[in-house]
Amino acid sequence: MDDDRRGPQLPPARGPLSAAVTAHLLDTGPLPRPADAGAADPYGDDLQLALYLCYELHYRGWAGVAAGHEWDPDLLRVRAALEDRFLTALRADTPGHGSLDEALGDLLVEPVDGSGVSHYLRDEGELWQLREYAAQRSLYHLKEADPHAWVLPRLWGRAKAAMAAVEFDEYGGGRAARVHARLFANLMTDLGLDTTYGRYLDAASAEVLATVNMMSLFGLHRSLRGALVGHFAAVEITSSPGSRRLAEAMRRTGAGRAAEFFYDEHVEADAVHEQVVRHEVIAGLLEEEPHLAADVAFGIDATGFLEERLGGRLLADWRAGRSSLRVPLASAETVPAS
């Protein structure tokens, strides 16, 4: 048996690229031509889903899909074309800082009058919006830290030791019940959501897919190890204040103790991780490979760019009274009592 029946179900296609990749995975049709990726919207549903389908083969795979597709040379050529389209657009569209010091400096400044998603959810978000936010973020949080683990073999010395220490915390410090993916599943249970891995892929927007695909893109390429470290720094440095706001949103709406705990845990853990990432991971990396400073800055800036796109999409929908999901949450799911 060379397929994993425990993997998630393949989602419906969102265009010709993702339809052809799906058909190939099921051995029912040909792959798209690599050249087809060049005409696709780099941030659009079709390309982002096609890329997600390729990347998931390196995580849990897909139900009914042969495991050998993970290293299928023809599929890898198509994936490379999709990646090139995405990465080229990111490099062209991401507003860049003049230096790594400037990029890190801006991350460390918490705006007094912040107006992002976590501010909105803390101050006026409703329970249905918190449920949608959790459903979309589950694409990453149910495999939290896994994309970042790819970088470990590409580091050494101080950077490797520090990165491994942070990852150890993300994986619960050796305790299965404290693995952050498990804690997020508990949060989802409080919110009446299905905790099945990959359950909300079809509902998730292209903007969410892009944030998760960027992690895999950076993590799976040794040449992008600096960008992955920059991305990780952006996540860890901004996580603690953002998590505090989201914990307050969970308390205000009566989401549940596990929902509160997930973000409370990140307030404490990521305050420590931020120091380790800046002073050990980044400093250690640049001590060995100073030429990667620009790549680290790019990883920080690209993360901010995609998160702003996602935030703009969520806030535009919610302020208009619309769902941010492509398909509604299933009627079988229960809304927790407030």
Side-chain angles (χ1 to χ4, degrees):
M1 177 66 67
D2 68 345
D3 65 328
D4 187 353
R5 296 185 178 183
R6 297 181 61 192
Q9 296 294 319
L10 284 165
R14 302 188 189 181
L17 290 171
S18 52
V21 170
T22 299
H24 179 76
L25 293 177
L26 295 174
D27 301 315
T28 60
L31 280 163
R33 298 173 304 151
D36 294 341
D41 178 353
Y43 309 115
D45 280 295
D46 192 27
L47 184 140
Q48 288 299 324
L49 179 57
L51 201 48
Y52 194 97
L53 293 171
C54 294
Y55 285 146
E56 192 58 38
L57 294 168
H58 299 291
Y59 294 101
R60 299 195 191 183
W62 299 103
V65 171
H69 278 304
E70 180 181 7
W71 300 112
D72 178 340
D74 293 330
L75 182 59
L76 290 175
R77 277 189 284 273
V78 170
R79 194 190 90 184
L82 297 169
E83 289 176 327
D84 182 68
R85 178 69 171 143
F86 183 34
L87 182 58
T88 299
L90 274 180
R91 290 195 185 280
D93 297 340
T94 296
H97 282 88
S99 69
L100 175 56
D101 286 342
E102 290 180 10
L104 286 169
D106 281 353
L107 282 180
L108 291 167
V109 176
E110 178 71 5
V112 175
D113 56 348
S115 57
V117 170
S118 64
H119 296 85
Y120 175 88
L121 291 174
R122 178 196 63 189
D123 297 337
E124 55 186 300
E126 299 178 29
L127 193 58
W128 68 270
Q129 294 164 334
L130 287 170
R131 297 181 76 234
E132 289 194 354
Y133 184 74
Q136 298 221 53
R137 287 297 196 183
S138 69
L139 270 65
Y140 166 65
H141 280 303
L142 289 181
K143 61 183 172 200
E144 184 168 342
D146 289 351
H148 306 128
W150 296 114
V151 82
L152 285 170
R154 288 87 188 262
L155 305 175
W156 60 91
R158 285 171 59 198
K160 181 191 284 283
M163 189 75 185
V166 175
E167 288 284 274
F168 184 64
D169 283 351
E170 301 284 352
Y171 291 131
R175 294 168 292 173
R178 295 299 294 267
V179 171
H180 284 189
R182 177 69 260 166
L183 297 181
F184 193 80
N186 295 341
L187 171 150
M188 294 177 74
T189 298
D190 265 3
L191 291 173
L193 297 171
D194 187 338
T195 63
T196 303
Y197 181 87
R199 169 66 178 79
Y200 296 105
L201 175 55
D202 189 32
S205 65
E207 288 83 359
V208 168
L209 296 185
T211 65
V212 183
N213 283 337
M214 180 183 64
M215 300 181 207
S216 297
L217 170 65
F218 291 170
L220 286 167
H221 289 270
R222 183 178 178 276
S223 62
L224 294 170
R225 62 195 179 280
L228 189 281
V229 167
H231 159 74
F232 194 61
V235 170
E236 296 298 323
I237 291 173
T238 60
S239 174
S240 188
S243 292
R244 182 176 291 107
R245 289 188 287 271
L246 289 169
E248 292 173 9
M250 295 297 176
R251 274 188 278 275
R252 181 177 60 79
T253 58
R257 294 182 63 183
E260 297 170 17
F261 181 78
F262 176 81
Y263 289 111
D264 284 335
E265 170 74 6
H266 281 71
V267 170
E268 297 182 14
D270 291 344
V272 176
H273 293 171
E274 176 254 312
Q275 297 290 321
V276 175
V277 171
R278 283 198 298 127
H279 298 299
E280 296 298 325
V281 179
I282 292 178
L285 174 68
L286 298 183
E287 182 178 75
E288 299 282 354
E289 301 184 281
H291 63 285
L292 292 180
D295 287 350
V296 177
F298 169 64
I300 291 172
D301 292 335
T303 301
F305 171 67
L306 290 183
E307 287 294 332
E308 285 185 12
R309 290 185 79 255
L310 171 58
R313 165 70 183 270
L314 293 173
L315 292 177
D317 285 337
W318 291 341
R319 285 172 174 155
R322 298 189 301 263
S323 171
S324 65
L325 303 177
R326 296 181 67 254
V327 296
L329 297 176
S331 59
E333 293 164 332
T334 58
V335 179
S338 60

